[in-house]
Structure formats: C-alpha cells, structure tokens
Amino acid sequence: MSQEGEITYSEAIEKAKASIIRFPLSPIRGIPLMNYIAQNWDSIWAFRPDPSDLLIATYPKAGTTWTQEIVDLLLHNGDADVCRRAPTPVRSPFLEICSPPPIPSGLDLLRKMEPPRVIKTHLPFQLVPPGFWENKCKAIYVARNAKDNLVSYFYFDKMNQTQPEPGPWEGYIQKFMRGELSWGSWYDHVKDYWTEKEKHNILYLFYEDMKENPRREVERIMKYLDLTLSDDIIDRIVELTSFKSMKENPMANYSCVPRPVFDESISPFMRKGEVGDWTNHFTADQSKMFDEDYEKQMKGANIPFRTQL
Ligand code: PPS
C-alpha cells in the first residue's frame, strides 16, 4: 500500500466511509462472523500459505497487535525504522478481514506480499484454512484470561463501528458466555488451540506471562522462530513493544484506522494494556455468576489462566 500511486490504508478507509456500518454477523459452520467475511468465506478457506509463513492466532483482544510487533522486530533484528515501514495491518495482514472497497481485504494484501509473511487471524482452530497445517507453518497462539479479554472486547465493540453494537455491559457478559460475539466462543477458541498445540507445533502464549516477564516471552518467541539475537537487541525489542512505546508508535497503535471505523473518542485501541482491569468492571455478583459458568465451560481443560498477577 506504500507503492507510488497507491492509496494508503487510511486513505482507503476514508474513501469507503459511506459504506461503513455495524455489519451483522453471519454464521460459518456455527461460528458468528462479520457478514462480509462470511460472504467471502470460500476464498478465505482456500487460502494456501507458503510453508515459510507464520500464523499469529488469537481470540480478539488477547494481545495480537503486541505479538505482531514483537515478531516483526525479531524478524528484522530489532530495527525500529524498518518496523515503521507501514501500519500493523499492512505489515502483517489479517487473513479473513474483508471490508468495503477500496479498503484492501487481508487476502488482497497477502497476494501482494512475498513469503515469508506474518499473518494474523482470529479464526477458531477448525476454521483455519487447512493449508497452514498441511504446509507445517509455524503458528503462535496468544490467550488472555476471559474476564480481561471480555472487558477489552466490550470497549473495542463500542469504538469499532464495524462490529455489532455491544449493548449494555450486563447483556454483553451474557453474549460472551454464550459465544455470540464475533468469532464465537472464547472458551472453545482457547481450548481447541490448547488441544491442537502439540500436534501442530503451535507456540501457545499467555498475555499475562507477557506482562509479567516480557523479556522471557520475547525470548521464547525468538527461539520458536529459530532466531538468535543479542541481549542488547532483545532488550531493545522489549522496550519498543512496551504498552507505552506502542501507544506512541503511529505504525503500531492503529491510528491508521481513522473514524468512521475506529472512533477513539469512545475508547482508544491502545486502551489500558493491563492484567486485572476486569475488577473495575465486574460487580461481585457478576463475577460469581461468570466464575460458576466458567467452571462448567472449562471443565477438564486445565489451561493455566491467571486473572491477576
Ligand atoms: S485485536 O483488535 O483483536 O487485534 O486486538 P489485540 O491486539 O488482540 O488486543 C488489544 C489489547 O491488547 C492491548 N495491548 C497491549 N497490552 C500490553 N502491552 C502492549 N504492548 C500492548 N499492545 C496492545 C491493548 O491495549 C488491548 O487491551 P486493553 O485491555 O483493551 O487495553
């Protein structure tokens, strides 16, 4: 999108503004997806990655952008200038996203890139195009505890004018618990990738671990990518991917998505970046009800989530 004569990502959104609406959801194999994605499902499912491509998979709001930035810096030896060559969704396309033209879809952007590419997805495991596993692509999955994930998604659905209206907080909790939000059930999402991680060599990370010890997690990603960077460069990557640095970085803070898509006067994309913000939103009764349901939905899963550090 940066080649001469081509419009930028932000300009494309500006041009498409009359077509921006809160798109309804439409199910694909039982998973509610933006109807634009559902309409283009066949080409998404048919996508054939190169074996050198890397997939970053998450439930929405689990730490995708953070991980994309870490990976880009690792792949470019910590070179901050190179990693400011374009905004996140252009450097690391969002596989299934489809928007009104001329906003490029994820597939449009991927077609213009040479492998190895870093590809973002929110698709649950069963909807990931099978080419990723057939070609033995590496994949990083990032999971975030349900309560903070839910809070972050609530604010995002308020500000992202292409997502369904979140409605009041109390009802939003119910929709999350019933798996009715875009990309479906958080519970199934985190469990299915957990079950599949050994079979497909998926690196399964936790947002809370990244907050607790970012250096340790950056090193884990580095090793998974078969890279060896100096201690100084790793330190630099940790600094460049802190919440504060990324919030100030126009190529990592989603300021490339202007109104009318992201209305940051409602809530910024880089909102708080904390573990435990859910305590500021759940009442004691809501927390109890959520925990009881959580026990049932996560029974036997044994995924070591932490809601506090
Ligand atoms: S998206 O739209 O699904 O791709 O969003 P995603 O990037 O997965 O998640 C956004 C939340 O991640 C927080 N974030 C960070 N936290 C800590 N450190 C860094 N560097 C960082 N970058 C993004 C972002 O603030 C969102 O969380 P909340 O809780 O809403 O602040």
Side-chain angles (χ1 to χ4, degrees), residues 27-293:
I28 292 289
R29 288 199 252 148
I31 305 296
L33 297 173
M34 265 167 86
N35 67 347
Y36 245 99
I37 298 177
Q39 283 158 17
N40 289 286
W41 182 249
D42 289 349
S43 52
I44 297 164
W45 181 248
F47 175 73
R48 292 293 300 180
D50 185 83
S52 66
D53 289 334
L54 170 73
L55 187 67
I56 297 179
T58 56
Y59 190 76
K61 314 319 288 180
T64 331
T65 317
W66 189 6
T67 308
Q68 287 171 289
E69 196 64 21
I70 292 171
V71 165
D72 199 29
L73 281 158
L74 283 169
L75 293 175
H76 293 97
N77 205 31
D79 188 328
D81 292 332
V82 173
C83 294
R84 285 185 183 233
R85 67 194 178 284
T88 310
V90 176
R91 281 182 283 147
S92 171
F94 186 178
L95 175 65
E96 65 269 24
I97 205 68
C98 298
S99 314
I103 305 173
S105 68
L107 293 180
D108 291 337
L109 291 168
L110 285 166
R111 277 186 212 107
K112 290 186 184 171
M113 289 173 85
E114 291 296 323
R117 297 162 295 189
V118 180
I119 304 173
K120 159 184 170 174
T121 189
H122 290 321
L123 293 171
F125 183 82
Q126 74 274 23
L127 293 187
V128 172
F132 280 96
W133 315 123
E134 287 159 14
N135 282 345
K136 300 196 169 11
C137 292
K138 287 187 180 174
I140 299 175
Y141 185 78
V142 190
R144 186 177 192 182
N145 81 74
K147 285 172 164 172
D148 282 329
N149 206 140
L150 193 170
V151 170
S152 181
Y153 209 175
F154 179 63
Y155 281 96
F156 185 66
D157 279 352
K158 287 211 247 189
M159 67 84 94
N160 182 346
Q161 305 301 306
T162 65
Q163 283 275 95
E165 186 70 57
W169 166 244
E170 174 75 37
Y172 194 81
I173 301 177
Q174 299 294 333
K175 282 191 254 185
F176 181 94
M177 286 164 38
R178 293 196 298 259
E180 291 172 3
L181 304 179
S182 307
W183 287 281
S185 160
W186 174 93
Y187 310 87
D188 292 345
H189 210 284
V190 298
K191 283 191 291 190
D192 289 347
Y193 279 95
W194 183 257
T195 306
E196 298 290 343
K197 68 184 184 331
E198 266 94 37
K199 192 165 158 206
H200 299 289
N201 183 30
I202 299 168
L203 179 68
Y204 199 106
L205 302 175
F206 293 95
Y207 181 96
E208 295 74 27
D209 292 350
M210 292 166 69
K211 281 299 289 188
E212 180 181 64
N213 190 338
R215 194 177 206 286
R216 180 189 61 206
E217 299 307 301
V218 168
E219 287 193 58
R220 284 185 72 194
I221 300 172
M222 177 183 79
K223 286 183 189 138
Y224 179 72
L225 298 178
D226 294 318
L227 298 168
T228 312
L229 275 57
S230 71
D231 281 353
D232 285 355
I233 291 175
I234 297 170
D235 287 340
R236 176 109 187 99
I237 293 175
V238 170
E239 166 51 29
L240 287 166
T241 55
S242 68
F243 180 77
K244 187 172 177 297
S245 299
M246 283 182 57
K247 193 175 171 74
E248 288 163 4
N249 177 353
M251 293 300 163
N253 66 9
Y254 271 94
S255 53
C256 66
V257 179
R259 279 200 231 184
V261 177
F262 285 0
D263 187 345
E264 293 212 303
S265 69
I266 297 173
S267 178
F269 183 90
M270 300 292 292
R271 193 183 61 89
K272 276 199 178 174
E274 287 173 5
V275 178
D277 186 40
W278 65 270
T279 56
N280 299 313
H281 295 81
F282 282 72
T283 65
D285 283 350
Q286 286 168 346
S287 184
K288 185 167 176 288
M289 176 269 303
F290 189 87
D291 290 347
E292 283 168 7
D293 175 75

